[in-house]
Amino acid sequence: MKIKNICCIGAGYVGGPTMAVIALKCPNIKVTVVDANTEKIKAWNGPLVNLPVYEPGLADVVGKARGKNLFFSDDIKGAIEQAEMIFMAVNTPTKTSGEGAGMAADLTYIESCAKDIAKYAKSDKIVIEKSTLPVRTAEKIKDILEENSNGIKFEILSNPEFLAEGTAIKDLFKSDRVLIGGDMTSSGQLAVQALVDIYRNWIPKEKIITTNVWSSELSKLASNAMLAQRISSINSLSALCEKTGADIGELSKAIGMDHRIGPHFLNASVGFGGSCFKKDILNLVYLCKFYGLIEVAEYWHQVVKINDYQKNRFAQKIIEYCGGRLKGKKITVLGWAFKANTNDSRESPAINVTEMLYNAGADIEIYDPMVEKKTIYSDIKLYWRSKKASENITILDEVKPEDLKNDITVIITEWDEFKGLDYSKTKLFDGRYIISNEMIG
Ligand code: UDX
Ligand code: ADP
C-alpha cells in the first residue's frame, strides 16, 4: 500500500517536529497536522522565529516543507477524511482524578481523538499511536473506533516516539531505532509495511524494528524508565559524595568508562524533568500493581522518589546555607525549561525548587531564554501550592552580568548563555549536572 496522504492529530512537541521531518524526507506525501487549539495552528503557520515549539533546526525544516507538502490546519474533519494514515500525537498527562489518579495516564484526549477519527472517516485507515500510552491502549482505541463508525476497517499500529526535546530534529534525522508494533494478521502486517516504507526514505533498514503491538507499547515505557533510573542512580550517589568528600563528576566519569555501563546519561543533576519520564514510570508502576507485581512496582517507583528527594535536597541546601531562612534574601533563578534548548517547562525541576525557595521567604527573579513569561506565570499558578504567589516574583526579559548582584544565583537549566556570566558578586548554586560538595564551598 502506497501512502500519499498523512494526517497527524496534535501539533505539539511530538507531532510538530515529527511531521515536519516526515514531510521533508517524503516530498511525495502530503502531511497535514491538525490541532484543536487554533492559536497553536496559527503560530505554526506564522513567522518561523515564533513557532510554538522551540527546537534547534526545526524552523529550518518547517521553512523548507511548509506550504509544499506540509500543512498546519484546524480542519480536523477534512484532514481525517483525506488521509490514509493518521498519527495520534495528543497529550497523555497523568490522571488527576478517578481510578488510578496520580499514576495512570489520562486517556481523555486519546479517546476524543479516536472518536473524531471514527466520526469523520469514510474509508479504511491506518491509525498510529505516537504518544506514549499505557500497554494495551491500542485495544481500547480499536474498540472506540469500531463502536463509533460503520463498517470501516482500522489497523492500529504503535510507533512510539523516542526523540528527546532539545535534540528532536537530530534524533529524527538519525534515529537509534524506529519501532513499529502491529497485529500479526495479514492486514496488520500490510499496515506495518506501509509505515516501514515511509521511514525507509531516510532510516536504514536495520534500524527499523517491527514487533507486536504490546511489545512496542511496553518498550517505550521501559526505555524511559531505564533512562530515568540511570539519572536517579547517579543522583542518589551525589548525596553520598557530598557526605564523603568524593566528587560526583569524577565518579560519573570513572563509572561511565566501563563500556558495559557507558558514559551517556550519567550526569548528576537537580533532578530529571520533562513530560515523559515521571509520567511513564508512574504508568509502569500502575501497570505492575494492576498485575499484582508489588515488588516490581516498588522498584520502579523508587526512581521517582529519588527524583523528588534530589529536588528537595537541592533547595534545602540553599536554605541551610542561609541559616534556615531566606527572608530578605534575593535569589536569581536562571533557567525554567526542563533542559536546555527547549521552550518546554513541563515537570521542570525549576518549578519545585523555586517554590521551596519562595516558601522559605526569598524574593525571586526568574529568567529563561526561551520559556515565555506567560508560561512561567501559569506554571506557578498551576503547580505551586502557595496560591498567593506572584508577590515578590519578577520575571526578567534578559540577564546581564550586572544583574547578578543578588545574594544568590541558582542555575537550574544548562543553557549555554549561562556559562559565560560573571557570578563573582553572588553565591552560585549550580543544580544542573554539577552537584558536589564543592557547590556550597
Ligand atoms: C526523554 C527520552 O530521552 C526520549 O527518548 C523520550 O522519547 C522522551 O523522554 P526528554 O524528556 O525530551 O526525552 O529529554 P532527556 O534528554 O531524556 O532528559 C530528561 C531529563 O533528564 C531532563 O530534565 C534532563 O536534564 C535530565 N538529565 C538527562 C539528567 O539529569 N542527567 C543526564 O545525564 C541526562
Ligand atoms: P506532546 O509533548 O505529547 O506532543 P503537547 O501537549 O505538546 O504534547 O501536544 C499535544 C497537542 O494535542 C496539543 O497541542 C493539544 O491541543 C492537542 N490535542 C489534544 N487533544 C486533541 C484532540 N482531541 N484533537 C485535536 N488536538 C488535540
Side-chain angles (χ1 to χ4, degrees):
M1 186 191 327
K2 224 165 169 54
I3 302 296
K4 296 233 164 49
N5 206 313
I6 288 177
C7 157
C8 172
I9 307 181
Y13 285 90
V14 170
T18 311
M19 291 305 124
V21 169
I22 291 185
L24 185 77
K25 298 291 186 183
C26 311
N28 298 324
I29 299 178
K30 181 180 173 194
V31 180
T32 308
V33 191
V34 293
D35 201 293
N37 180 339
T38 49
E39 285 304 307
K40 207 176 248 189
I41 291 298
K42 225 183 259 167
W44 278 111
N45 283 319
L48 291 172
V49 288
N50 281 328
L51 296 178
V53 169
Y54 172 71
E55 271 297 334
L58 174 65
D60 188 42
V61 176
V62 172
K64 284 184 178 139
R66 195 173 62 180
K68 292 196 183 104
N69 64 328
L70 174 66
F71 301 92
F72 295 93
S73 158
D74 51 15
D75 178 13
I76 299 180
K77 178 173 181 278
I80 291 175
E81 272 174 11
Q82 283 179 24
E84 297 116 18
M85 187 177 258
I86 302 171
F87 286 84
M88 297 202 288
V90 300
N91 37 335
T92 49
T94 303
K95 259 181 143 176
T96 51
S97 61
E99 204 195 318
M103 229 167 234
D106 179 351
L107 296 181
T108 321
Y109 303 102
I110 281 286
E111 284 166 10
S112 93
C113 182
K115 281 184 188 149
D116 276 351
I117 298 176
K119 187 159 79 186
Y120 301 132
K122 297 205 174 87
S123 53
D124 297 352
K125 310 277 178 204
I126 299 172
V127 176
I128 301 169
E129 301 175 346
K130 219 8 159 178
S131 336
T132 315
L133 294 166
V135 180
R136 305 199 87 96
T137 304
E139 240 170 25
K140 211 172 192 171
I141 296 174
K142 205 170 174 94
D143 288 346
I144 297 179
L145 289 173
E146 282 169 1
E147 268 165 36
N148 293 280
S149 64
N150 35 12
I152 288 168
K153 261 190 78 57
F154 295 100
E155 277 306 328
I156 320 287
L157 304 181
S158 158
N159 171 222
E161 191 47 77
F162 291 109
L163 64 80
E165 287 174 37
T167 51
I169 299 300
K170 205 168 112 233
D171 296 345
L172 285 161
F173 278 177
K174 233 174 164 288
S175 308
D176 282 348
R177 80 305 209 179
V178 166
L179 178 55
I180 303 173
D183 278 347
M184 292 303 164
T185 56
S186 59
S187 57
Q189 289 305 299
L190 276 177
V192 167
Q193 194 52 46
L195 187 55
V196 169
D197 290 345
I198 290 175
Y199 284 110
R200 282 292 287 116
N201 283 295
W202 78 101
I203 304 285
K205 194 161 75 208
E206 62 280 8
K207 295 210 165 170
I208 304 179
I209 47 178
T210 59
T211 63
N212 73 35
V213 176
W214 322 130
S215 304
S216 169
E217 289 179 334
L218 189 55
S219 296
K220 168 75 183 193
L221 294 188
S223 296
N224 278 346
M226 297 280 271
L227 287 169
Q229 173 266 116
R230 278 174 76 93
I231 304 171
S232 278
S233 296
I234 202 76
N235 283 347
S236 74
L237 290 168
S238 74
L240 185 60
C241 283
E242 286 162 32
K243 292 280 182 215
T244 56
D247 181 285
I248 191 62
E250 290 172 355
L251 203 73
S252 171
K253 185 167 175 208
I255 299 169
M257 279 174 77
D258 183 328
H259 73 276
R260 291 166 304 176
I261 299 173
H264 305 294
F265 246 72
L266 266 190
N267 292 312
S269 65
V270 68
F272 57 76
S275 67
C276 283
F277 282 176
K278 185 174 169 191
K279 183 186 79 176
D280 290 355
I281 298 167
L282 291 177
N283 236 309
L284 191 63
V285 171
Y286 185 70
L287 192 72
C288 294
K289 282 193 176 154
F290 178 82
Y291 286 106
L293 305 172
I294 302 305
E295 287 79 3
V296 187
E298 277 309 309
Y299 175 77
W300 287 110
H301 203 183
Q302 198 58 30
V303 174
V304 174
K305 290 186 191 166
I306 288 287
N307 201 48
D308 291 336
Y309 164 79
Q310 187 77 342
K311 290 185 272 186
N312 267 307
R313 209 166 69 76
F314 181 64
Q316 214 47 50
K317 266 187 123 110
I318 300 170
I319 298 168
E320 275 162 27
Y321 171 79
C322 296
R325 265 164 66 83
L326 297 181
K327 193 102 203 114
K329 299 277 181 211
K330 279 197 174 220
I331 298 188
T332 309
V333 173
L334 296 184
W336 194 260
F338 81 94
K339 64 187 275 195
N341 297 317
T342 177
N343 59 345
D344 189 355
S345 61
R346 285 177 290 180
E347 298 290 344
S348 176
I351 301 174
N352 314 97
V353 169
T354 312
E355 180 183 16
M356 288 181 252
L357 301 177
Y358 181 82
N359 287 345
D363 287 355
I364 307 278
E365 279 185 352
I366 301 166
Y367 169 71
D368 188 282
M370 280 296 160
V371 181
E372 285 186 36
K373 273 187 178 181
K374 66 169 195 272
T375 306
I376 300 180
Y377 279 123
S378 102
D379 286 338
I380 291 175
K381 212 166 146 216
L382 280 170
Y383 302 113
W384 283 20
R385 270 150 291 197
S386 36
K387 287 300 172 202
K388 68 178 175 57
S390 73
E391 284 164 31
N392 306 334
I393 293 178
T394 316
I395 300 176
L396 306 171
D397 290 316
E398 56 173 347
V399 65
K400 294 191 233 84
E402 54 269 32
D403 293 329
L404 297 176
K405 56 185 175 336
N406 288 340
D407 302 300
I408 288 170
T409 298
V410 182
I411 302 186
I412 302 205
T413 315
E414 71 284 17
W415 285 102
D416 271 349
E417 68 174 77
F418 300 152
K419 291 186 184 142
L421 289 172
D422 173 12
Y423 305 104
S424 53
K425 294 196 187 63
T426 77
K427 186 74 205 167
L428 173 66
F429 286 83
D430 192 343
R432 273 291 141 179
Y433 305 160
I434 321 166
I435 293 190
S436 77
N437 44 333
E438 279 151 43
M439 188 177 76
I440 48 174

